[in-house]
Every structure is written in structure tokens, then in C-alpha cells.
Amino acid sequence: MVIRILTVCLSLLLCSPAVAQNKAAVQRQFEGWLERVVWPQAKRKGVSRGTFERAFDGVQLNWDLPDLVPPGSKATTPKRQRQAEFGSPGKYFNRGSVDGATSVGRQMAQRHGAALAAAERRTGVPGRIILGIWGRESGYGRVKIPHNVFQILGTKGFMDRRAAYFEGELIAALQIAEEGHVPGGAMRSSWAGALGQPQFMPSNFLKYAVDGSGDRRADIWQSEADTIASIANYLAKHGWVKGRDWGFEVSVPASVSCTLEGPDQGKAISKWAAMGVTRVSGKPFPAHEARKQGFLLMPAGRSGPAFIVTPNFYVLKDYNTSDLYALFVGHVGDRIQYGSKDFAGRWGNVGGLYRSDVAVMQRALERQGHDVGGADGLPGYKTRRSIGRWQEKNGRAATCFPESSMKAALR
């Protein structure tokens, strides 16, 4: 706790008496900004004055949020990732998270079977996939969503590094309040402004939240039926292909290079099978999938489970841009419905590097002409396969994952 307080003080420059005395002045500037900038935009979007005033009644700036740039201070490049450790992807699938999401998900499948079935009929999105997302985002509504959305988005829209983005989300939140989907006091959000049990940003609420209970509201805070219907609608609108699975765990022979990974290197699933890629279950790929496109996914390179995924996997990534997130959702969904076990492939002893170490490797690969997807310190599929191509070019066995032994060669 002491470390956190010191970090906040240094990053926001709020520990000096001069700045502390200025908080009241900044609050007045904030209130002026609401009137001059936010209210005219909200009015043009059909928000009433009454809704606007109720939303900001008693709202004070939240000085504890990250990435704030108070008026008069200079924005600096954040260094929060410099010494962040990059761990093994296997940590994402820890026993407690997987088993908890599965066991509670099975209870929810029984309790809300009618709503899940109705959503699947309307959208083609399987109930188990809806449950996987619901469980990951809010623990099936059991995780507390603590913040006043107008305080969060007001603060970030006024003085965040990405103020313009959050200002737009604030206007969207006011539109939601105006439409009366839920009483203003119940519009709780995460620290980043994500709303309700599906954790929609307000602009996504306006696009994808729907009524699943028949009361003509989309209450994703208190209604499980609305939550289920809204998650399904989001996935459907992002291109979920009815009748296709999300993917299959596979065994990849040494003759198939891990550099073939990625959504831009798809092949008919029958072609992957002809190359020697087989399902770990021993079953053949489903006949209806054979001629359709599949993509190699190796989230830990050769040091972890491998998968042939379908376009639906990348629809799950639209919900949260992470391979591991999409994999977790699909895996938990399968466990809920089919009683599936752990992945057959084991996560190897990888990770332990700092993200700054990975970023150095990424920049070195970029200088050699590789597309790593950006030097962000995170080994996404473009970085993984670039490492594999570099390894192959230099006479090394391709593992397609950053390792400590590469640090000296990739600088």
C-alpha cells in the first residue's frame, strides 16, 4: 500500500502542498468543462438537462485513477511497463480461475437455460460461449462493479492521456441514462468506465446491448437475461459463424513450422490434416469443418498447447484483444458443456522476462525487416512467428517464443 501511494504521488504530482491546494481550483475547471464542452454535446444527442444534472450531482474528480494529466502539468510518456515481468501464458489458466468459471458456469447454464437457448436461437452463438465470456468479465455478475460511471468517465474525459476517447464515452453514458435502461445511481462501472456484467464501454452498450427479458430495457447491471442477450448480440454483430466451433487442440509435428501461425495464414482444415496436424483427442476433424478455413495458434510457441482455430476464435478476440482471453473463453465453455479436461499440451517453463526485454528483441527484429506487430513487450502471434523465422534463418530450432538465451543475439 505504501508503494502504491508513493507511485500515485509521483505520477500525478499530487503530494506537493501547492498542487494539493490547487485541487479545488481544478475541480472548478472540471465543472466549467462540463458546462462548456460536455453539456452542448449531450444536448445535441438528445440528453435532457435533468438527466445531465442528475448524472453529475455531487460528482468530484477521482484523483486515484491512472494516466491523469492535471491542467497545467506536462504529459510524460508513462513507464509503467518498463519492469513488468512477462510470465508464462499458462498462468492465465490457473486452477482456481478455470475451475471456478466452470463450476459456477454449469450452475448458470441450468439456472438460465431458457435465456441462453433463446439467445442461441436468435444469434447462433452457443450458450457455452456466452457463459465463458460472462464468467470471465464479471464472474457471472458476482464481481462487484464499484464505481460511479460519471465520475470515472468525467475525470478521464477531462484530464486523461486519452481524454478525447473518454469524452466520447462520457457522452454515450449520458445517452444511456437518458434512455432509462437503468436508474442513474445503478450505472456502475469499472475503473476504466466499462459497464455492467458484460463490461461494455458505453459506446458498445449503445450498439450491442439488447433487451432479453421483454421489459423494453437493456439492463446489463441487474438482469441476467439482458446480459446474456447482449453478449450474444455483440458476438453475432462481430461475425460469429453459426454452426462452427471456435477451435480444436491439436498436435503439430516437427515438419510443420510454428512460423505458419496467424489469422493471415489460414488453410482448409483438411490441408492442415494432410500436413500431419491431428486432434489430441484422437478424433478426426468434424466433416463439416474439413473444407473450411482454420488457423494455427501456438500461444507459447513450441512450449505449450497448439490449436487449429476458426474465424469464430477471432470474433472472441474482438471482445478482448488477447489470444489467451479468447482461448480461456472457448476452453471454459467446452468444460461447461462437454466436461472437457485440461489441455493435453503442457505449458512449458517459459516467461520470466521483463516486457522491456521482449521490446528490445522486437525492435531488433524490426530492424531486420520483420513485422512483429509493434514493440510493446508482448509476444503476440506476429512476434512469435518472427522469432521463429529468425531462428530458422540462423540455424536454430524454431520455438517461436522469446527466451532468455536470445537476449544477447537480439539487441
Side-chain angles (χ1 to χ4, degrees), residues 91-112:
K91 292 181 180 179
Y92 201 92
F93 300 87
N94 68 77
R95 183 84 281 140
S97 294
V98 172
D99 286 353
T102 300
S103 62
V104 179
R106 287 173 181 158
Q107 298 171 28
M108 294 297 173
Q110 294 183 339
R111 189 176 304 169
H112 302 291

Side-chain angles (χ1 to χ4, degrees), residues 22-320:
N22 199 40
K23 279 189 181 181
V26 175
Q27 177 69 28
R28 290 193 295 272
Q29 291 179 55
F30 168 65
E31 293 167 1
W33 172 77
L34 290 175
E35 285 294 333
R36 290 182 293 98
V37 176
V38 176
W39 165 239
Q41 293 183 66
K43 184 178 180 181
R44 287 194 294 272
K45 291 291 187 178
V47 176
S48 69
R49 184 68 190 184
T51 295
F52 180 81
E53 291 183 352
R54 284 190 295 274
F56 295 106
D57 183 27
V59 167
Q60 300 286 310
L61 289 167
N62 186 331
W63 293 90
D64 292 329
L65 296 176
D67 297 327
L68 300 184
V69 184
S73 64
K74 184 179 179 180
T76 57
T77 302
K79 296 183 179 180
R80 59 185 179 277
Q81 296 177 357
R82 282 297 176 185
Q83 293 301 317
E85 183 177 341
F86 173 73
S88 166
K91 292 181 180 179
Y92 201 92
F93 300 87
N94 68 77
R95 183 84 281 140
S97 294
V98 172
D99 286 353
T102 300
S103 62
V104 179
R106 287 173 181 158
Q107 298 171 28
M108 294 297 173
Q110 294 183 339
R111 189 176 304 169
H112 302 291
L116 290 161
E120 184 167 354
R121 284 194 301 272
R122 285 195 300 268
T123 65
V125 179
R128 74 182 194 279
I129 297 297
I130 299 169
L131 288 167
I133 288 181
W134 188 15
R136 189 63 186 175
E137 292 296 333
S138 65
Y140 305 100
R142 297 183 176 193
V143 173
K144 185 178 180 181
I145 303 171
H147 298 292
N148 178 331
V149 68
F150 298 109
Q151 182 194 50
I152 296 297
L153 293 177
T155 300
K156 296 180 82 64
F158 179 59
M159 57 178 184
D160 188 88
R161 296 177 189 280
R162 296 191 297 148
Y165 167 74
F166 287 107
E167 182 180 308
E169 294 296 337
L170 177 59
I171 302 302
L174 288 165
Q175 291 177 260
I176 295 168
E178 181 66 28
E179 292 174 4
H181 294 287
V182 65
M187 276 185 63
R188 313 302 288 177
S189 79
S190 71
W191 66 266
L195 301 173
Q197 297 184 48
Q199 287 290 276
F200 283 173
M201 291 302 290
S203 59
N204 278 338
F205 179 101
L206 293 176
K207 294 175 186 174
Y208 307 115
V210 293
D211 171 24
S213 62
D215 65 358
R216 299 185 179 181
R217 297 186 300 141
D219 180 1
I220 61 172
W221 293 266
Q222 301 168 336
S223 169
E224 290 86 357
D226 291 359
T227 295
I228 288 167
S230 297
I231 292 171
N233 187 53
Y234 182 101
L235 296 176
K237 292 292 178 63
H238 280 78
W240 184 272
V241 182
K242 183 179 180 180
R244 295 206 69 181
D245 210 320
W246 66 267
F248 311 91
E249 188 184 357
V250 297
S251 176
V252 180
S255 58
V256 176
S257 175
C258 54
T259 65
L260 295 177
E261 182 183 8
D264 53 351
Q265 298 192 103
K267 304 178 187 295
I269 290 180
S270 60
K271 290 188 176 180
W272 289 112
M275 294 167 66
V277 176
T278 58
R279 294 180 67 183
V280 297
S281 66
K283 299 177 181 178
F285 291 103
H288 72 277
E289 294 276 13
R291 295 184 180 179
K292 297 174 181 177
Q293 201 168 44
F295 312 91
L296 181 62
L297 173 74
M298 302 181 76
R302 288 284 182 183
S303 298
F307 307 86
I308 294 295
V309 298
T310 76
N312 284 341
F313 177 86
Y314 295 102
V315 173
L316 295 178
K317 276 193 70 174
D318 284 337
Y319 207 101
N320 183 313

Side-chain angles (χ1 to χ4, degrees), residues 327-340:
L327 191 57
F328 184 96
V329 166
H331 180 53
V332 166
D334 288 351
R335 290 169 67 98
I336 289 171
Q337 183 162 336
Y338 305 126
S340 303

Side-chain angles (χ1 to χ4, degrees), residues 385-401:
R385 70 190 187 191
S386 292
I387 287 173
R389 289 166 182 167
W390 172 81
Q391 289 171 318
E392 290 177 347
K393 183 179 178 180
N394 288 275
R396 303 182 181 214
T399 63
C400 296
F401 206 76

